Amino acid sequence: MSSRSLKVILGGTLIDGTGGPPIRDGAVVISGSRIVEVGPAGEVEVPRGAEVIDAAGRTVMPGFIDAHTHFMGLGVRTLTTLDLSGTRSISEVLSLVRERLAGMPRGTWLLGRGWDESKWVERRYITKRDLDPVSPENPVALVRVCGHLITLNTRALQAAKITRETPDPPGGKIDRDPVTGEPTGVLRDAGMLVYKVIPPTPKGMSLKGLRKACEIALSLGCTSIHEAGMDANGFRTYQTALEEGLLTVRAYVMPRGTMIEALEALGVRTGFGNEHLKIGSVKFILDGSMGAHTAALFEPYADDPSTSGIFVTPPERLREMVMKAHSLGMQVAIHAIGDRGIEEALNALEAALEEEPREDHRHRIEHCEVLTEDQIARIKRLGVIASMQPNFVGEWSQPGGMYEERLGPIRLRRNNPYRRLLDEGIKVSFGSDCMPFHPLYGLWSAVNHPIEESRITLEEAVRCYTLDAAYASFEEDLKGSLEPGKLADIIILSEDLTSIPPEKIRDVKVDMTMVGGKILYGRVA
């Protein structure tokens, strides 16, 4: 092996991803794409001629693995869509819409995303009544941060042919004026009514978006992602990116449930691929989101007693599809947020496992937010992975935040109970769902959980975002920890996470990101 392929990261604090105690003044020896030795610097021999990377005073750890993200969409939106994520009022949104439309031809669509009414002074959804005065000649569609609620102006409603006579679609809801019955412009889990008329992403933009997403990921220390739901066109884009050398992070791509027949015909199962791109679990959506009041709960919403959420997919249909995917040898991932949704997800998984037992299935519940004690016991018994998003806690679990509004104080205590799950020995993988895509913010959120009894340690949070995220894709023997023989997917952070106050974690920067022994990102001081 040429000395040019040898690297040694010296000094710094190693958080190795296993959940064990940090190693002070550590060393990691890398040969080619693999780690060959890890330990205290005084016990590790530096190979002659190796490139030495000084990490003194900083953190060295495995690259983050975002176990639930919409990665390609993140990149495409960054390049094409009006970003509303930082807005603090409806008037600010309207100002941004007006400004963007000023440079657009009449009749062309304006797409925006990322708004969150829980951060607005008005604390309500935006409607067509708000949008119409600033967008009389262009159809406008603004997607809430969760992706489960979209607001249209009148032009967009007309383009989609949505009127007072339009029935609610299966698994969705059209908000209507209580007096006139006219649509207000708000669609909850009913985006299919308008997406069919929105112009498709321009040719080549998906590939550009994927490349952009990789750049963002590397700058944030994320070396692997789980793409949570992809169609055939998306798979083609990933394949092209791999062939052209543009896919610089590792991807575990989940086919949508609608692709089961195609997977069956091809004989493809979870895990097909290589170290850089693999077919992941089949992704099903059972309920909606908390923000849209569509996550399925046993009891009504505290701030809207008229509803307890919806099922995007009827439970009986879910059971059929899960059984099919399970019988094909696929891993299953079910989007379920509310306690009633989680109950039906567990029913479907349990029925499949009773019909056709499989020892190491690693089926997943995505989000898995509002849990009962019985459900925690069932998750443990069935060996289900809880694929969760700690950044949601940072965004919405603060006192008076969106979660408390939706759930009330009692159910709030059952929301995202990381400590409880880990104490039961349940595998918890962390992802972002792009709200926001920012692993260090996720670490900060888990360690500083506003519900004190749900907090976990820094080392545990790192493990959920590395080794246990790798476990969720059957890759824990390949990556996710600083151990000999594993891929050298390694990051160096600007601070020693173990020596700063926990509330400062989200302010830490990524200084270096290495994928397979190659440095693909370095921060300019």
Side-chain angles (χ1 to χ4, degrees):
M1 182 70 69
S2 167
S3 62
R4 288 181 296 177
S5 68
L6 292 171
K7 296 183 178 69
V8 180
I9 301 174
L10 275 180
T13 297
L14 306 188
I15 303 178
D16 67 8
T18 66
I23 300 174
R24 308 290 177 184
D25 189 25
V28 183
V29 181
I30 300 152
S31 178
S33 64
R34 302 277 173 164
I35 298 169
V36 295
E37 192 173 359
V38 180
E43 300 176 12
V44 173
E45 183 178 351
V46 177
R48 181 176 298 178
E51 176 187 351
V52 176
I53 300 169
D54 183 8
R58 299 183 286 175
T59 301
V60 180
M61 57 178 282
F64 290 110
I65 300 173
D66 190 316
H68 183 114
T69 184
H70 299 279
F71 196 61
M72 187 188 302
L74 167 70
V76 171
R77 290 193 299 272
T78 301
L79 298 174
T80 64
T81 304
L82 181 62
D83 181 12
L84 304 175
S85 59
T87 56
R88 291 293 176 263
S89 67
I90 290 176
S91 61
E92 186 178 348
V93 171
L94 298 179
S95 178
L96 291 173
V97 169
R98 185 187 295 108
E99 181 181 338
R100 178 63 67 91
L101 286 174
M104 294 175 61
R106 176 180 177 179
T108 56
W109 281 80
L110 169 60
L111 306 180
R113 186 171 179 127
W115 62 268
D116 179 359
E117 83 295 335
S118 73
K119 306 291 179 63
W120 289 346
V121 294
E122 297 90 350
R123 306 287 284 197
R124 67 170 177 83
Y125 300 143
I126 192 169
T127 68
K128 71 176 183 181
R129 184 173 294 180
D130 302 305
L131 286 173
D132 283 349
V134 301
S135 56
E137 298 180 339
N138 296 75
V140 175
L142 305 183
V143 182
R144 191 183 182 278
V145 62
C146 62
H148 289 260
L149 187 149
I150 182 169
T151 294
L152 309 178
N153 69 348
T154 293
R155 288 284 187 180
L157 287 167
Q158 291 170 343
K161 296 182 170 55
I162 300 173
T163 69
R164 61 185 299 170
E165 284 76 36
T166 304
D168 289 343
K173 182 177 183 296
I174 302 170
D175 279 15
R176 305 172 194 274
D177 185 284
V179 176
T180 65
E182 290 291 330
T184 66
V186 173
L187 307 180
R188 308 187 199 219
D189 283 290
M192 74 290 289
L193 296 178
V194 67
Y195 289 139
K196 62 186 179 183
V197 299
I198 294 177
T201 302
K203 186 177 181 180
M205 185 56 69
S206 293
L207 189 61
K208 292 178 182 177
L210 188 51
R211 183 176 186 175
K212 180 64 176 179
C214 287
E215 293 173 0
I216 294 170
L218 294 172
S219 74
L220 295 172
C222 187
T223 56
S224 292
I225 61 95
H226 297 183
E227 177 77 79
M230 188 54 58
D231 60 13
N233 288 330
F235 276 103
R236 292 189 191 99
T237 301
Y238 266 96
Q239 183 70 19
T240 300
L242 179 67
E243 292 167 352
E244 297 185 5
L246 304 178
L247 187 63
T248 50
V249 303
R250 306 184 196 279
Y252 187 71
V253 183
M254 304 181 189
R256 294 176 182 170
T258 53
M259 295 186 68
I260 288 181
E261 287 75 15
L263 294 168
E264 181 181 21
L266 290 170
V268 172
R269 294 193 296 272
T270 297
F272 178 79
N274 57 29
E275 293 175 353
H276 220 83
L277 177 61
K278 288 185 179 180
I279 300 290
S281 48
V282 179
K283 166 79 180 303
F284 301 106
I285 299 178
L286 178 56
D287 66 354
S289 78
M290 204 75 72
H293 293 90
T294 52
L297 302 171
F298 282 122
E299 302 295 333
Y301 280 84
D303 60 344
D304 185 0
S306 70
T307 183
S308 56
I310 64 175
F311 286 119
V312 175
T313 302
E316 58 275 13
R317 175 60 178 154
L318 178 76
R319 287 194 289 273
E320 295 172 1
M321 294 191 296
V322 166
M323 186 72 74
K324 178 72 168 178
H326 176 76
S327 69
L328 293 175
M330 298 294 294
Q331 182 190 32
V332 170
I334 304 173
H335 166 120
I337 289 178
D339 48 13
R340 190 177 172 209
I342 293 168
E343 188 78 6
E344 292 296 347
L346 288 170
N347 289 344
L349 293 172
E350 187 163 22
L353 289 166
E354 287 178 352
E355 178 74 19
E356 192 171 323
R358 194 198 307 167
E359 189 65 28
D360 193 25
H361 54 81
R362 304 196 193 184
H363 295 325
R364 307 163 44 150
I365 296 181
E366 307 299 307
H367 312 305
C368 200
E369 292 185 32
V370 186
L371 288 152
T372 67
E373 280 297 313
D374 178 67
Q375 289 168 350
I376 291 173
R378 291 180 73 192
I379 287 172
K380 180 179 181 179
R381 175 170 56 83
L382 295 172
V384 171
I385 296 168
S387 173
M388 306 177 80
Q389 291 70 50
N391 42 299
F392 290 6
V393 166
E395 290 290 288
W396 299 299
S397 274
Q398 306 298 332
M402 187 264 287
Y403 279 140
E404 187 171 14
E405 286 185 350
R406 299 290 192 270
L407 298 171
I410 296 175
R411 282 183 295 184
L412 178 66
R413 314 302 295 188
R414 298 195 278 111
N415 192 49
N416 290 297
Y418 306 135
R419 174 80 276 143
R420 184 81 182 86
L421 293 168
L422 293 187
D423 286 347
E424 286 295 322
I426 292 167
K427 292 289 187 183
V428 176
S429 63
F430 278 165
S432 71
D433 207 16
C434 296
M435 293 190 270
F437 183 91
H438 198 312
L440 278 162
Y441 182 69
L443 282 191
W444 171 84
S445 299
V447 172
N448 297 282
H449 199 307
I451 301 171
E452 190 169 353
E453 64 264 30
S454 292
R455 292 175 186 168
I456 58 177
T457 69
L458 172 63
E459 292 77 20
E460 288 170 328
V462 169
R463 176 166 179 147
C464 291
Y465 238 129
T466 56
L467 188 58
D468 286 349
Y471 178 89
S473 60
F474 297 89
E475 295 176 297
E476 74 277 11
D477 292 332
L478 181 68
K479 59 186 180 182
S481 60
L482 303 180
E483 296 180 276
K486 291 197 173 182
L487 289 167
D489 295 354
I490 303 171
I491 62 175
I492 299 176
L493 305 180
S494 63
E495 306 284 343
D496 179 352
L497 294 183
T498 67
S499 66
I500 63 174
E503 59 270 18
K504 298 291 186 181
I505 292 173
R506 64 179 172 180
D507 300 323
V508 172
K509 305 299 182 184
V510 175
D511 280 351
M512 187 204 79
T513 302
M514 176 186 292
V515 180
K518 297 179 181 179
I519 299 172
L520 299 185
Y521 171 80
R523 185 167 69 98
V524 178

